[in-house]
Amino acid sequence: MSMLLSLLFLAIAIIESMAGLLGNGTILVASSTSCIKSKILSSYDAIMIFLSLSRFFLQSWMMLDLFLSLFCETSYYEEHLFVILKTVFMFLNYSSFWSAAWLSAFYCIKIASFTQSFFIWLKQRISCLVPWVLITSSLFSFATSLPFAWDVYDVHDNFSAPSTMTNSSERRVTMKASFFLLIILCNAGIALPLIVFVVSSILLIRSLWIHTRQIQNSATGFWNPSLEAHIGAIKSVLSFLIFYVTYFISLVPILADVFLPLSIGEAMCIAVMAACPAGHSMVLIRSNPKFRELLARVLHHASCPVRTRSMEKTVG
């Protein structure tokens, strides 16, 4: 029974990953098309391309890791391959966190209505700063993922993977580093993006509060486009903050090998980790008419051949 539940959660994780690939692919194509048509790479499109690419590769890598662990167990637990898989996985994780953090900062800078000189300076130079912060965060992600390649994992040299899935719980991957060291390594790459998230959220909420009070004290009415932009940005930032924390809670037990392979706990964590990037991509698509329109067209074209074949069978 436990094996069936584990396989069910893994199947859900695969479906979530496919949805995430579709969502991030939609964002990537829409943003790239916008740049090609306008012949200008805007700050927003640059961040969305960076975010969708990192998420697309992250979910592809998660699926590769899952299939190798299920169907190529002996090769998967060879020391060098195992370390490479985990190191690249952490690099893609950190890149995804950073790109989403810069998106929240972009929302804050473009939408929040503060009059401080530093904030005005950021508004004026955001287009010049975005490429540099994306490059810097990529280098930082690479640097913080390197410790996972420095023999953090100690795989038994005499290990031989089981030939069947039923006795796969016999395998073990022990951690040379302590559990607390692993958390420190994870926090090294996650703490700074999290600070950017929190600061952006606080500033957006404060700006919304100030803007709401200004509207209430004026005779222009309560609802206006600026207020709508504030609320939309706050929803996007806070939704990803929830996904962010949930993803991290599921990530640490997987890296620390807390659960037995193919156990219900491990499968649930994998399903949650696959759901979080896919969920945030859907939030971004829903909040952007350009993304919504492209996804609707993709789904429409995908459903047309199915309808055509079903009609042919009915007529035949």
Side-chain angles (χ1 to χ4, degrees):
M1 184 64 182
S2 61
M3 179 60 67
L4 289 176
L5 284 175
S6 298
L7 293 177
L8 175 63
F9 280 117
L10 293 178
I12 292 173
I14 293 173
I15 295 172
E16 291 167 342
S17 296
M18 296 299 292
L21 291 175
L22 175 62
N24 287 298
T26 299
I27 295 173
L28 177 61
V29 171
S31 300
S32 302
T33 303
S34 176
C35 294
I36 294 172
K37 287 181 178 179
S38 63
K39 297 181 180 180
I40 297 174
L41 181 61
S42 67
S43 301
Y44 178 76
D45 285 333
I47 294 174
M48 295 308 298
I49 289 172
F50 191 83
L51 173 62
S52 56
L53 269 178
S54 61
R55 291 266 180 82
F56 190 90
F57 285 124
L58 173 62
Q59 298 208 276
S60 300
W61 199 262
M62 288 174 64
M63 291 182 65
L64 174 64
D65 186 275
L66 177 60
F67 283 123
L68 287 177
S69 65
L70 288 175
F71 304 112
C72 303
E73 295 170 313
T74 304
S75 301
Y76 178 77
Y77 281 92
E78 289 179 0
E79 184 169 4
H80 296 297
L81 178 60
F82 188 80
V83 170
I84 290 172
L85 287 170
K86 296 306 178 187
T87 304
V88 174
F89 173 69
M90 291 309 300
F91 168 73
L92 294 173
N93 266 303
Y94 293 149
S95 298
S96 174
F97 288 147
W98 270 113
S99 53
W102 292 129
L103 179 62
S104 66
F106 176 82
Y107 284 150
C108 180
I109 294 170
K110 296 294 287 186
I111 296 174
S113 53
F114 295 112
T115 57
Q116 284 79 3
S117 58
F118 178 70
F119 204 81
I120 295 174
W121 181 85
L122 285 176
K123 278 181 176 288
Q124 294 173 343
R125 291 166 175 78
I126 184 67
S127 58
C128 299
L129 293 174
V130 165
W132 290 106
V133 297
L134 292 177
I135 293 172
T136 303
S137 60
S138 298
L139 295 175
F140 185 82
S141 300
F142 177 75
T144 50
S145 62
L146 280 181
F148 290 87
W150 294 338
D151 209 20
V152 173
Y153 293 95
D154 181 24
V155 183
H156 291 300
D157 293 332
N158 297 326
F159 168 77
S160 58
S163 58
T164 62
M165 292 174 60
T166 56
N167 60 355
S168 61
S169 61
E170 296 177 4
R171 65 186 179 217
R172 294 291 186 273
V173 179
T174 59
M175 294 294 297
K176 288 176 66 175
S178 66
F179 183 76
F180 294 105
L181 176 59
L182 181 67
I183 293 179
I184 292 173
L185 290 175
C186 288
N187 285 336
I190 291 177
L192 286 179
L194 181 60
I195 292 172
V196 174
F197 272 122
V198 173
V199 171
S200 301
S201 301
I202 293 173
L203 290 177
L204 275 171
I205 292 171
R206 175 162 177 77
S207 176
L208 174 63
W209 180 75
I210 294 173
H211 189 70
T212 304
R213 291 195 60 179
Q214 289 174 347
I215 293 175
Q216 289 174 340
N217 294 332
S218 66
T220 58
F222 183 73
W223 193 264
N224 62 21
S226 179
L227 184 63
E228 186 176 358
H230 272 84
I231 294 176
I234 289 173
K235 285 181 179 179
S236 179
V237 172
L238 292 182
S239 66
F240 185 73
L241 189 59
I242 295 172
F243 287 130
Y244 192 103
V245 174
T246 305
Y247 186 92
F248 179 73
I249 293 173
S250 303
L251 174 65
V252 173
I254 292 294
L255 292 177
D257 200 43
V258 171
F259 302 109
L260 293 174
L262 288 181
S263 65
I264 296 177
E266 182 188 60
M268 288 179 64
C269 287
I270 293 174
V272 171
M273 289 169 60
C276 289
H280 186 240
S281 300
M282 295 306 163
V283 171
L284 293 175
I285 290 174
R286 185 179 178 184
S287 63
N288 190 307
K290 180 174 61 177
F291 299 156
R292 287 201 309 267
E293 181 183 352
L294 179 58
L295 181 60
R297 280 188 294 173
V298 170
L299 295 177
H300 175 73
H301 288 302
S303 62
C304 283
V306 177
R307 291 179 183 176
T308 304
R309 285 195 294 268
S310 62
M311 289 177 63
E312 290 174 352
K313 290 181 181 179
T314 302
V315 173

